[in-house]
Amino acid sequence: MSLRAVLLITLQREPGTGYDILQRFKAGLAHVWQASHQQLYRELDRMRSDGLLTCETLPQTERPDRKVYQLTEAGRQSLDTWLAEPLAASPVRQPLFAKFFAWERWPKQARREELTAFREQLKERLMTYAAIEREWFSDPQALTPAQRAPWHTLRLGQRLTETWVEWVEEVMEED
C-alpha cells in the first residue's frame, strides 16, 4: 500500500482541500496508514503533476487560497488498477524486535522501561480505535456492507493490538 493509494481512496467519493483530506484520513484510514502533513501535500503535488488529480484554487480573504483536489479519469483508473492487483502480505517490521537478538547485552532496566512504554503506546492505540469505533461505527449492524468494510479493518487493528499487548506482558513476566 502506498500513500498515493490512500489518497486516491480518500478522494474517490468527493473532492476536498488538503485539510478535508487530512480529516477524512484521520477519521477513516489513520488506523491503517500514517503520514505527516508534509508527506501528504508532497504526494498531492506529485499526483497532480502525474495527471491523477486536478486542483482548483479558490481565493479567500484574510486566509490563504483554498486548493480543492479532485480525481481525474486517470486518477480513477489508477485507483481501479491498484484495487484489482493483489497485495503481498507485509512482513511485521518492528525495530524493537532487533533488540531481542542482543537480549544478554540489553540492560534489564532499559528493557523493562522500553517494554512498559511500548505497552502504554499500544493501550493508547486501543483507546484511539475505541474512539473511532464510537464516532464512526457505533451501530455496525445498521451499516451497509460498504460502510461495514472499514469497520472490519478497525476490528482487525484492535485484535492485533490486543495480541501485541498480551505478548509484551508475557515477555515482561518472563524477564
Side-chain angles (χ1 to χ4, degrees):
M1 182 180 227
S2 68
L3 179 56
R4 180 168 288 208
V6 171
L7 291 172
L8 291 169
I9 291 166
T10 304
L11 287 166
Q12 71 177 326
R13 290 197 178 104
E14 64 181 307
T17 64
Y19 178 79
D20 296 334
I21 294 165
L22 282 169
Q23 295 311 305
R24 291 181 209 159
F25 189 81
K26 286 178 186 176
L29 291 163
H31 64 283
V32 296
W33 192 264
Q34 299 293 317
S36 69
H37 292 79
Q38 295 84 0
Q39 289 171 313
L40 183 134
Y41 283 107
R42 276 194 305 267
E43 188 60 29
L44 286 171
D45 284 341
R46 280 193 287 268
M47 292 170 71
R48 190 175 66 171
S49 295
D50 292 345
L52 303 177
L53 302 176
T54 60
C55 179
E56 181 181 2
T57 302
L58 303 174
Q60 298 188 106
T61 56
E62 299 186 30
R63 285 191 165 163
D65 293 346
R66 291 181 66 203
K67 292 182 177 182
V68 179
Y69 298 92
Q70 183 170 349
L71 288 184
T72 63
E73 184 56 34
R76 284 186 281 284
Q77 289 175 1
S78 181
L79 176 59
D80 290 344
T81 299
W82 180 80
L83 289 169
E85 294 173 356
L87 299 173
S90 299
V92 176
R93 288 197 175 121
Q94 176 51 258
L96 176 64
F97 291 170
K99 292 186 175 186
F100 280 74
F101 288 89
W103 188 268
E104 67 283 353
R105 295 189 58 82
W106 193 6
K108 186 173 185 168
Q109 182 63 27
R111 184 171 58 232
R112 290 203 66 73
E113 287 173 7
E114 185 157 4
L115 290 171
T116 299
F118 184 52
R119 181 182 59 198
E120 293 311 307
Q121 291 169 7
L122 292 168
K123 288 181 176 182
E124 286 176 23
R125 185 181 304 161
L126 285 171
M127 289 189 303
T128 299
Y129 289 163
I132 291 169
E133 188 168 30
R134 279 191 307 274
E135 185 170 345
W136 295 97
F137 307 109
S138 61
D139 186 7
Q141 301 309 317
L143 301 173
T144 66
Q147 293 168 326
R148 279 178 64 89
W151 175 75
H152 289 296
T153 66
L154 177 67
R155 291 293 301 137
L156 177 60
Q158 289 170 321
R159 290 176 183 157
L160 291 172
T161 304
E162 289 164 354
T163 299
W164 278 77
V165 170
E166 290 173 18
W167 174 80
V168 169
E169 290 174 349
E170 286 176 15
V171 171
M172 291 175 73
E173 280 178 23
E174 279 188 27
D175 195 20

